[in-house]
Structure formats: structure tokens, C-alpha cells
Amino acid sequence: MASDETRTETRTEPRSSTPLGESPTRGPQAPGETPEAPGTRPWTTWTTRLLLLGIVLAALNLRPAITSLGALLEEVRDGLGMSGSVAGLLTSVPPLCFAVFGVTAPRLARRFGPGAVVCAGMVAITAGLLIRPYAGGTAGFLAGTALALMGIAVSNVLMPVIVKRFFPDRVGSMTGLYSMALAFGTSIAAAATVPVTSALGGDWQPGLAVWAVLGAAAVLPWLPFVRQRTAPTAPGAPGAAGQGAGEPGAARADGPARQSAEQPPLRITRSRTAWALAVFFGLQATAAYITMGWMAQIFRDAGVSAGTAGLLLAVIMMMGVPLAFVIPRVATRLPQQGPIVVVLGVCGLAGYAGLYFAPAGGAWIWALLLGISNCAFPLALTMVGMRARTGAGVAQLSAFAQSTGYLISIPGPLLVGVLYQHSGGWGLPIALMSALMVPQIVVGVLAGRNRTVEEEAAR
């Protein structure tokens, strides 16, 4: 009954929701009743288009700070006199910042409004990208990188929440648009950084700083939404703090959330599925950040040119564009998602084996295989929505899985840098990546079982 109600509401809800910062109202309405709550006003076409542009531009900025650095990591290390261990620390900064600063995003959004926080996040990205190449020294570079990642962290959390809240009848299509823009920004920075650096004279500093232009462009569409605040949201309404974060499956849980939002919070740590999903999220994030931070360097050390290495990294990242649409659709049609986990894991193991035995000879094949394996990220988000019955459960599971997962992922890139420095080659780091793929498959199969955290937390 609850799911039927949700589907009915989704069909009848006006496409023009409420202005950013005001709470949309949902639910069955009596004939003739005004669909908007008192104090709200319909969006204009201009406002909707501006928000769409803001979402796309913000998503485009959520990874270039990471992948542009990966493409020029060797030049940055030489320019700053950075050791392999410090470079490993640098590649561990993204998940650390996501874990530390991401948790502050809901509180900031409640106080200042989500539009203001995303706008501030774009400003922080722009400033960080401008500062870090010219800060002078490794400490300044790390500080500028942390500033940019701070902006990415809060925007990373709030962007899917905005999609969920202000496009409640188009969550799937808007999440697809957002994911596609994120993957495109990731891959274009990996592919274009080296050619752009060459065009700017070959110095790595302007080659990294140029991506601040994209960040500055993303600030502009959010400026009209800065002064708006988030009105109080009814329990279980779309966009309540932490609501599903736009993950697939969250829309289905939105209806039941109204009935259960006032229930005490779940004892989420009592759920084995929640722990399995958190570890799965952490291990796939480990693989992703090792890939973004080190994969271009692995190919370059194998004899591949810098430009081609950037293109190979771009291929790995670009695989997320089509598969981000396909994998969630397939996953929601299966009672258990374990088979998908296994397929992605086997692709990863095959890609790492290729890197070990013939890194340059089959580089394009290994990039395709690793790109498929990296699509464990949309699968993890899909399972977050499927492993809880209610919107409140989805929100709690999402917060637990992502915060715990990002903490788990922090040591991986750092350890790769340490192993690379002390062994003088990529054999041990690749062996580590392969070894981590095995527990990722195991916990992914456990997380993909057809059960919910509410059932387990109640035991």
C-alpha cells in the first residue's frame, strides 16, 4: 500500500516544485486543494533551468581536482621534491576530507540553506585550485588541496540531496544526469590536463590551476540561491536532513518514511548487512582513489607517454558514464546483487593481473577492465537504497556506510605510495590492489543479500 501511494504521489506531483531552500509538500490532496503549501511559490522556467545548469556545473567540478593531479603527479613530485610516501599521503587526502568535512554538510545546509553551501563549496574549489600550485612547498600544496576537497566534500553530499528534494518526480533521470556530469568531469580532467599543460608552456603549475576556471563558472548559477534558507521540513518529507542522498531506491522508501520517521533511530551497528555494505563501500572507494591518484603513474613508469597515460585514466573514469545508468537498473531487478559484485570484482582482478604482467602491451584492455570494476560505486549507492525499507532507514544506512567507508579507504593510497617507494616498483602495490579486491567481492555478496537493516537491527 505504501509503495502504491508513493507511485501515485510521484505521478500527480507538479513538476514545478518549490524554490530552493523551501520545503516541497507531498502527499494526497483533496480535489481543488492548492498543491503548494502556504508560503511557497511555483518555480519559473528560468529558475528551473538555472538550477539544472548549477547541478551539472557543480557535478563537473567534483573530481577534476583529484584526476588532474593524478595526470601530473610525477611533475608535482619533482617540482616540490616530494617523496613517494608524501605523495601517497596526498592521494589519501580526498577520502579523509570527504569523511571529515562531508558530515558537516547537512548541518550547514540547515543553517544557511543548501544553495548557499553548494555555492560556497564551488568558491572553495576555485580558491583551492588557484592556491595550491603557487603556495610554495609541499605544506602549501597540501593546504590548497584540502581547501578544494573541503568544497568537494560538502557539495558531494548536498548535490544528490538537492536532486532528491527539488526534483522528487524525476529522481532517476536527474541522478543519471548528475552522475554522467560527474563521470565526464572526472575523465575530461584526466584526459586534457597533460595537453593543456603543454599548450600553456609545459609548466605543471598553470596546468593544474587552469581547472579553477571550471570552478568559477560553477559559482555563478548558484548565486541567486544564496540568500534562500531551508524551511522546516516535515518528518519524512523529501529532503529531510540526510534523506537518501539521491541514491537509487530512495524514492521508493519515501512514502513509508512518513509513517516511520518518528520511530527511534535504528541501531544500525547491529546490522550485519550495514557493516558489509560499509566495508564494501570503503574497499571500492580505496580502489577508486588508488586509481585516480596512481594509475596514470603506473602506466607512465611502464613506458607509456604522459598524454596516453592521461587518456588511459580517462577511459577508466569514462566507463562510469554509461554503466552508471545500466548497473542500477539491472541491480534493482535482481533479488540479490551478488552476481554483479562478482562480475565487477573479476574484471578488477583481470585488470590488475594485466598491469602486473604486461602493463604497456595491453594498456587499453586493462583500462577498460578497471573502468568496469570501478563501477562498484553506483552499485554501492543502489544497494544503500535497497537494503532499507523506509526513507529514514535509507538516510541512516547511507550516512553509516559512506562515513565508515571513507574512513576505511584512507590508508589504501598512502600504503601504495609507501610500497612503491620502498620496493622501487609497482609489483607490490598491484599485489595489494588485487588482494583488496577479494574481500571486496566477499562483503559485496553479503551486502547484496535480499534483506533489510530494519530486520537485523530489531533483533
Side-chain angles (χ1 to χ4, degrees):
M1 179 66 70
S3 60
D4 292 339
E5 179 186 57
T6 303
R7 288 194 294 270
T8 301
E9 290 170 317
T10 301
R11 287 194 303 268
T12 59
E13 182 169 3
R15 286 191 178 271
S16 293
S17 299
T18 56
L20 187 63
E22 296 183 11
S23 301
T25 56
R26 298 182 69 186
Q29 297 168 350
E33 182 180 354
T34 303
E36 289 84 14
T40 65
R41 60 187 185 277
W43 277 4
T44 64
T45 302
W46 178 85
T47 307
T48 303
R49 290 176 179 174
L50 190 63
L51 183 59
L52 285 170
L53 178 63
I55 289 172
V56 170
L57 286 177
L60 285 172
N61 278 278
L62 295 183
R63 294 298 182 269
I66 304 170
T67 52
S68 63
L69 175 59
L72 293 176
L73 186 58
E74 181 175 319
E75 287 78 5
V76 173
R77 287 178 58 193
D78 292 341
L80 297 177
M82 193 182 296
S83 68
S85 298
V86 174
L89 175 63
L90 184 62
T91 56
S92 294
V93 169
L96 175 62
C97 289
F98 291 171
V100 172
F101 298 117
V103 296
T104 67
R107 180 179 299 177
L108 292 172
R110 286 194 298 269
R111 181 171 181 179
F112 300 106
V117 178
V118 172
C119 186
M122 296 300 108
V123 172
I125 292 171
T126 304
L129 291 178
L130 282 174
I131 290 171
R132 72 176 182 177
Y134 302 105
T138 300
F141 191 92
L142 287 170
T145 299
L147 177 60
L149 292 172
M150 184 189 310
I152 293 174
V154 295
S155 303
N156 207 38
V157 171
L158 291 181
M159 287 301 300
V161 171
I162 288 173
V163 167
K164 169 73 174 172
R165 178 177 297 184
F166 299 107
F167 297 92
D169 55 342
R170 288 172 285 175
V171 170
S173 59
M174 288 301 301
T175 301
L177 177 65
Y178 157 78
S179 300
M180 182 176 67
L182 191 152
F184 183 76
T186 304
S187 57
I188 198 65
T193 296
V194 172
V196 168
T197 302
S198 299
L200 294 175
D203 190 350
W204 63 268
Q205 292 173 311
L208 289 182
V210 70
W211 293 103
V213 175
L214 185 61
V219 173
L220 300 178
W222 289 99
L223 290 175
F225 304 111
V226 166
R227 292 182 176 273
Q228 299 185 13
R229 300 289 184 266
T230 302
T233 305
Q243 175 81 20
E247 290 87 0
R252 295 195 310 273
D254 190 48
R258 286 191 298 275
Q259 302 171 11
S260 60
E262 296 181 359
Q263 298 295 323
L266 295 171
R267 297 180 179 179
I268 198 74
T269 55
R270 297 179 62 177
S271 169
R272 295 181 179 180
T273 298
W275 279 107
L277 190 52
V279 176
F280 178 71
F281 193 96
L283 290 175
Q284 66 81 28
T286 300
Y289 287 109
I290 290 174
T291 297
M292 285 187 278
W294 290 108
M295 196 56 62
Q297 189 66 49
I298 292 175
F299 285 123
R300 291 180 68 172
D301 287 351
V304 177
S305 68
T308 302
L311 288 175
L312 288 166
L313 179 59
V315 167
I316 296 174
M317 299 296 107
M318 186 62 79
M319 292 299 294
V321 176
L323 293 181
F325 287 99
V326 175
I327 289 177
R329 292 176 181 270
V330 174
T332 54
R333 286 168 171 78
L334 296 176
Q336 300 189 38
Q337 290 70 50
I340 304 178
V341 172
V342 173
V343 169
L344 298 180
V346 169
C347 287
L349 289 172
Y352 290 138
L355 282 179
Y356 186 88
F357 291 107
W364 294 101
I365 298 175
W366 316 143
L368 287 172
L369 289 171
L370 292 173
I372 295 172
S373 179
N374 264 7
C375 290
F377 175 67
L379 177 61
L381 294 183
T382 303
M383 289 196 291
V384 166
M386 297 182 70
R387 297 286 85 87
R389 288 196 304 262
T390 67
V394 169
Q396 202 171 341
L397 176 59
S398 177
F400 175 75
Q402 293 198 45
S403 60
T404 305
Y406 280 129
L407 288 173
I408 291 173
S409 70
I410 291 171
L414 174 60
L415 186 55
V416 166
V418 172
L419 290 175
Y420 172 61
Q421 179 178 354
H422 289 282
S423 67
W426 289 106
L428 284 179
I430 292 173
L432 172 65
M433 292 181 246
S434 302
L436 291 176
M437 188 60 66
V438 176
Q440 178 178 321
I441 294 173
V442 173
V443 294
V445 170
L446 294 176
R449 294 176 297 175
N450 188 15
R451 57 188 64 189
T452 63
V453 293
E454 287 89 351
E455 296 170 353
E456 296 179 340
R459 293 174 184 171

